[in-house]
Amino acid sequence: MDRLVKADTKEVEMIFLKGQKCSSSFKLTNLMHTMSVAVSLTTTNSSLFSINKPFSTIPPLSTASYKLQLSQPSDQPPLSDPPDAITVRATMLPTGKATAADLRRFFSKPGPHVFRDAVLTVSLVGPHVAEFLISQTPQSRNLFAKSISACTKPQLMRLLKPAVECGSTDAVADLLNAGADATATTESLMPLAIRVGNLHAVKLLEASGCKIDGSSLHEAAAMDRIDAMEFLLARYDGELDVDAVDSEGRTAIHVAAREGHARVIQFCVAMGGNPNRVDSKGWTPLHYAAWKGHVKAAECLLECSNVKCARDREGRTAFSVAAESEHEQSHARTRLVDLLGWGDALLRAVRVDDVHGVKKCLGEGVSVNGRDQNGWTPLHWAAFKGRIKSLKVLLEHGAEVETVDDAGYTPLHCAAQAGHLQVALYLIAHGASQPNLKSFPHLAHPFQNHSFTLI
């Protein structure tokens, strides 16, 4: 005979509950027709699991029930790999009766009279186990699949949110395959998956019928996830608008500007997004970039929009917002103020030779080498307009003499082109290289009657 008793299961599943006493039952049947058997039950980890009847007697062809208990309540399931197990040993009992001491003595001496009839795996299952496994890295997919096998459909649905939050794509897939309905949850899971940055989970949820709306694009823009935006716009071409607005009238470009994601701004504009759009309080994306101190986002918006002078409902331009901002990065604030407003004020002061205005702007922290849309610095303008007094102030404050504009012209070229000899001589005296007449033949006239040599 191979064995004396038979278990009703190969695996004892125990539903684990946080902080509560947990137990599970199983049965053993005596296979002998005429003789009772004695049974010994031991667990791999006796400090964790106990059995109500570690030693017992089962009459011929009878069945006995046993209870496996978790010794101490716990907030975390005591999982192990390999899993804990119950070893079932049996021996024939001709007399049919024996005391507990007799049974303990029978099994304390190994030999051919003792049969090892079964090893029952102990599995902790249920939503509390699944939730614990979701939070683990790396995650055992086999244990997770086992844990959710004992979950009800509402429990499966409640587990979807933590699975998405933890970025566990395998857990999301297993829950959906087990019957979780992503469309029946009270909270939209799609923005959450995008916020976590899990594009695979986004695709799984979308395939399961999870709702897609403009807020999904906003979440992707906030997280700098161009890949998610590309997927959503391609999947819902014609249905999802890149300029979809939230409850405050903000588009994905507003969100990207607020977070400082210049790449997302460029992507949205390339997809037809409107960088000039205003939200419910009259703010353009440029207002948000200025408010948050995002220089690169502001530069990007200035290249693709014409809202530098746009005013919100309180009459403030992006320059005003930047000037009022108490952003912690003072350098960024100064750069934005220069970019959005003071730089223009400096150029205006230079053009009219307002020396007091030039000094005021420079005192406010404006970059002396800031550029306009053509790459001209204040020194280019001073040279072109022949504003010698302003030019001197600029040079005293560190203006770069050899800076070239978008066409490759230096301030000296501008002075020569406009015929301002005194300015040209002053620039040369301060390190400017003389213009090459072969490259700029039309600039030669102001220098023809003077003693210095053109190179």
Side-chain angles (χ1 to χ4, degrees), residues 20 33 45 48 50 98 112 122 164 167 174 197 210 229 232 238 272 318 353 386 389 426 432 437:
Q20 298 184 36
H33 287 74
N45 193 336
L48 285 177
S50 62
V122 177
V164 172
D174 288 342
C210 204
M229 299 183 77
L232 294 172
D353 211 20
K389 290 186 292 184
Y426 196 86
L437 289 181

Side-chain angles (χ1 to χ4, degrees), residues 7 20 40 65 81 181 233 245 247 267 271 325 335-336 388 426 440 449:
Q20 298 184 36
S40 166
S65 296
D81 188 18
D181 185 357
L233 290 170
V245 297
S247 59
F267 170 77
M271 296 298 293
S325 172
R335 179 72 185 94
L336 278 167
I388 189 68
Y426 196 86
F440 300 94
N449 299 319

Side-chain angles (χ1 to χ4, degrees), residues 73-358:
S74 173
D75 288 335
Q76 294 184 351
L79 301 173
S80 62
D81 188 18
D84 291 302
I86 303 168
T87 300
V88 180
R89 295 185 298 161
T91 185
M92 289 183 284
L93 192 63
T95 62
K97 294 181 180 180
T99 64
D102 293 333
L103 295 176
R104 191 169 286 107
R105 187 174 60 255
F106 290 158
F107 291 104
S108 65
K109 298 178 181 180
H113 64 287
V114 175
F115 292 78
R116 182 174 174 174
D117 279 359
V119 177
L120 311 179
T121 301
V122 177
S123 296
L124 296 176
V125 298
H128 290 180
V129 179
E131 188 173 8
F132 172 78
L133 288 170
I134 286 172
S135 67
Q136 299 302 296
T137 304
Q139 181 190 102
S140 170
R141 193 164 187 182
N142 289 334
L143 287 178
F144 183 77
K146 173 59 66 175
S147 70
I148 64 175
S149 65
C151 292
T152 63
K153 190 169 183 178
Q155 289 171 339
L156 292 172
M157 290 168 57
R158 285 194 292 271
L159 287 167
L160 267 177
K161 182 179 178 181
V164 172
E165 284 178 327
C166 289
S168 177
T169 303
D170 287 343
V172 173
D174 288 342
L175 288 166
L176 292 172
N177 290 334
D181 185 357
T183 65
T185 57
T186 56
E187 180 181 357
S188 178
L189 295 174
M190 186 63 72
L192 183 60
I194 294 171
R195 197 178 309 139
V196 172
N198 191 332
L199 183 58
H200 193 182
V202 170
K203 293 180 178 180
L204 285 172
L205 292 171
E206 188 278 330
S208 71
C210 204
K211 184 179 179 182
I212 300 285
D213 56 28
S215 65
S216 300
L217 280 180
H218 287 71
E219 292 290 351
M223 299 306 299
D224 200 18
R225 292 307 299 263
I226 292 177
D227 57 346
M229 299 183 77
E230 286 178 327
F231 167 72
L232 294 172
L233 290 170
R235 176 67 180 81
Y236 291 90
D237 184 28
E239 300 177 44
L240 196 58
D241 186 0
V242 71
D243 275 334
V245 297
D246 62 12
S247 59
E248 301 297 325
R250 292 178 294 234
T251 66
I253 299 180
H254 283 92
V255 174
R258 183 190 66 201
E259 302 300 328
H261 300 322
R263 289 174 56 253
V264 175
I265 294 172
Q266 293 170 338
F267 170 77
C268 290
V269 172
M271 296 298 293
N274 181 8
N276 302 317
R277 191 156 185 164
V278 298
D279 66 8
S280 59
K281 61 180 181 180
W283 276 31
T284 65
L286 188 59
H287 281 85
Y288 282 98
W291 175 46
K292 287 293 188 178
H294 298 309
V295 176
K296 289 191 177 298
E299 290 175 336
C300 175
L301 288 164
L302 287 172
E303 290 177 1
C304 63
S305 68
N306 56 1
V307 294
K308 190 172 183 179
C309 297
R311 298 180 181 273
D312 65 10
R313 296 190 184 282
E314 297 180 8
R316 295 177 300 175
T317 63
F319 162 68
S320 303
V321 171
E324 296 170 6
S325 172
E326 297 181 357
H327 196 268
E328 59 183 13
Q329 296 183 10
S330 58
H331 174 74
R333 177 178 176 274
T334 299
R335 179 72 185 94
L336 278 167
V337 168
D338 180 22
L339 185 68
L340 297 171
W342 283 117
D344 290 347
L346 175 59
L347 293 177
R348 286 194 297 271
V350 167
R351 286 196 293 267
V352 297
D353 211 20
D354 177 6
V355 176
H356 175 74
V358 172

